[in-house]
Amino acid sequence: MSRELPPLNALRAFEAAARHESFTRAADTLGMPRSSVSAAVAELEGRVGARLLNRTTRKVAPTLDGAAFYERCL
């Protein structure tokens, strides 16, 4: 894992998506497009080197790594 801090926008997007279990609801909360939330989470996953959210058609849910990251960092 990189020692460099991830972008705040990516952390905010991950937190909102994990809390709401939805990119759409996270986007509504943050006032940004759904695609931007998804891209920010993907960027964060690339930086930490692990998948943080499982994506299904209508829902996202934290992975084990994502739940640990959420608890540790947010």
Side-chain angles (χ1 to χ4, degrees):
M1 177 160 50
S2 172
R3 304 292 286 166
E4 186 178 316
L5 293 175
L8 180 58
N9 194 44
L11 289 172
R12 290 177 65 225
F14 168 70
E15 185 280 328
R19 179 167 36 96
H20 291 297
E21 296 187 344
S22 166
F23 285 144
T24 302
R25 289 180 56 203
D28 290 344
T29 298
L30 297 172
M32 56 195 293
R34 182 200 172 286
S35 60
S36 295
V37 172
S38 179
V41 171
E43 177 185 0
L44 182 61
E45 290 174 329
R47 285 181 176 260
V48 301
R51 182 168 286 286
L52 301 175
L53 295 174
N54 284 321
R55 294 144 173 89
T56 61
T57 304
R58 300 209 180 262
K59 187 175 177 178
V60 298
T63 62
L64 290 176
D65 288 334
F69 184 81
Y70 188 91
E71 291 298 319
R72 193 170 117 220
C73 297
L74 303 175

